[in-house]
Amino acid sequence: MSGFSSFFSSVSANAKQMAAQAAESVKPMADAVKAQAASIDTSKVRDAAGQFGHQASEALSQARMAAEPQITQAKELAAKQAKNLSKVNAKSLLNHNASFGVPIDAVAYRDVSGESRPQARVPAILEKILLYLEQDPHFTDPASVSQRSERLFMNRPNGQVVKSVAKGLDQGLGDVDLAAIGDVHVVAALLRQWLPPPPG
């Protein structure tokens, strides 16, 4: 056992001596690195970093200025699209023929078949109702036009009939013959129902 302990003692002493020699040989290199690090002028590094930061800030400012017209244009386009979307309601999305309960300016861009047209015109539903009313004796008899037309719009016809005809017109304007209804008061009520309520 004493042989082993003396062997390990000599190995340990040799290892300590080798470690001390390695540390001594590395020390000059470590001192040289320290000296070199100390000789570096950090103010130059700071100046370069500051200059880079200033250039980056200027580039960002120029990019903002260059992008501003596009951002403004995009905002205007988004506002226009939002305005157009406000004119669209669920009823007109589900049924492109719908006329009742749909904003007038949305209906003005559709023809009788419900297809869109490039320019606004008098809505087809309004043309159809007015054409019928213009041919009715309430409006064609010059002797009593004003008195009869007032009563025409004050009279309340059967609400279920008006609702049924409005539903039919929403399915397709061409499918409903207003003359076949036989009651001018129903058509007048349709006009009242279609027009938006007056402001205030």
Side-chain angles (χ1 to χ4, degrees):
M1 189 86 138
S2 62
F4 277 120
S5 67
S6 65
F7 171 75
F8 282 121
S9 292
S10 70
V11 167
S12 176
N14 284 341
K16 283 180 185 176
Q17 187 181 6
M18 288 172 61
Q21 286 174 350
E24 280 299 314
S25 67
V26 169
K27 189 175 178 197
M29 282 198 305
D31 289 342
V33 168
K34 277 184 190 175
Q36 201 171 12
S39 70
I40 293 174
D41 187 1
T42 55
S43 65
K44 288 181 182 177
V45 174
R46 280 196 302 272
D47 289 347
Q51 210 172 22
F52 177 74
H54 180 69
Q55 288 173 350
S57 178
E58 274 185 24
L60 185 60
S61 177
Q62 288 175 355
R64 276 195 192 122
M65 286 173 50
E68 196 161 321
Q70 285 84 1
I71 291 170
T72 303
Q73 190 177 15
K75 284 179 181 176
E76 288 170 0
L77 181 63
K80 186 177 177 182
Q81 292 294 342
K83 186 177 178 185
N84 288 342
L85 281 175
S86 71
K87 296 176 188 174
V88 177
N89 64 7
K91 187 171 185 179
S92 63
L93 286 174
L94 296 173
N95 177 5
H96 71 279
N97 288 319
S99 296
F100 291 90
V102 177
I104 290 177
D105 43 356
V107 180
Y109 284 93
R110 292 201 317 243
D111 60 18
V112 179
S113 65
E115 298 300 318
S116 61
R117 53 185 170 202
Q119 292 184 329
R121 288 191 49 212
V122 174
I125 180 76
L126 186 58
E127 283 181 336
K128 185 175 182 100
I129 290 173
L130 292 179
L131 186 64
Y132 173 81
L133 291 175
E134 285 172 354
Q135 295 170 356
D136 188 86
H138 279 85
F139 293 99
T140 57
D141 180 6
S144 59
V145 167
S146 64
Q147 190 180 25
R148 285 186 177 180
S149 60
E150 283 177 18
R151 280 185 293 189
L152 173 67
F153 289 101
M154 292 174 75
N155 194 345
R156 299 274 179 198
N158 184 321
Q160 291 299 329
V161 174
V162 174
K163 190 175 181 179
S164 174
V165 175
K167 189 175 181 180
L169 288 167
D170 271 346
Q171 296 306 313
L173 290 176
D175 300 338
V176 178
D177 180 11
L178 295 179
I181 295 167
D183 186 352
V184 70
H185 297 101
V186 169
V187 180
L190 286 170
L191 179 60
R192 257 195 327 264
Q193 182 178 329
W194 182 79
L195 289 170

